[in-house]
Amino acid sequence: MSPAPEIGVAVFILKNDQILFGRRRSSSIGAYTYALPGGHLEFGESFEECAAREVKEETGLEIKNIEFLTANSFVLSDKVHLVAVFMRAHLSDPEKAPQNLEPDKCEGWVWHDLKNLPEPMFGPLRKMLDDGFNPFPTESK
Ligand SMILES: Nc1nc2c([nH]c(=O)n2[C@H]2C[C@H](O)[C@@H](COP(=O)(O)OP(=O)(O)OP(=O)(O)O)O2)c(=O)[nH]1
């Protein structure tokens, strides 16, 4: 029987014109690609709770104005089917820098401009951005 789809929540943390990315390590899917902070939805969690928890666990940052943006279904192989929920948020304290709190999973966190995104990017995210998805509120562009 095929495994169940996994539900991930990924967060576009926006600071001025920039987005926070981390390069994934080899142990999980999307090895060595740049992705957003995020992780798997736990039983009973809202998307907002999952976003805040994963961002705090991975970067030490607290986020506010957490909003749902979109969701996508990606079949990556005959074993991996992801349902990715994309959220947007801002830093509670814009002066605070991200820490790499899970160095076994991530090489470090860096802010990138939407016009100068890091490569290679995690496949599902690359596809969304190539399709023209823009996580910034329309009034700020
Ligand atoms: N972190 C992250 N996950 C993403 C992104 N895009 C995307 O489809 N996902 C999917 C992949 C995974 O199925 C799921 C969770 O990702 P993950 O691999 O980072 O999870 P994790 O180990 O940190 O989570 P956990 O098991 O500790 O809860 O979300 C993204 O940009 N960042």
Side-chain angles (χ1 to χ4, degrees), residues 109-120:
W109 298 105
V110 182
W111 296 101
H112 287 274
D113 200 283
L114 186 60
K115 295 192 186 73
N116 191 17
L117 293 171
E119 293 292 349

Side-chain angles (χ1 to χ4, degrees), residues 43-103:
F43 188 91
E45 259 183 343
S46 68
F47 296 151
E48 290 79 4
E49 286 166 344
C50 180
R53 175 181 56 75
E54 286 287 350
V55 168
K56 181 81 180 162
E57 284 174 6
E58 294 181 347
T59 70
L61 296 170
E62 310 228 337
I63 51 174
K64 62 177 185 182
N65 307 334
I66 307 170
E67 296 172 84
F68 171 83
L69 288 179
T70 190
N72 268 308
S73 177
F74 304 101
V75 180
L76 295 190
S77 69
D78 56 1
K79 297 256 179 346
V80 182
H81 179 177
L82 309 180
V83 174
V85 176
F86 291 90
M87 308 295 283
R88 163 167 75 203
H90 293 91
L91 296 179
S92 300
D93 175 1
E95 303 301 315
K96 202 161 172 214
Q99 298 165 262
N100 189 13
L101 297 181
E102 294 185 341

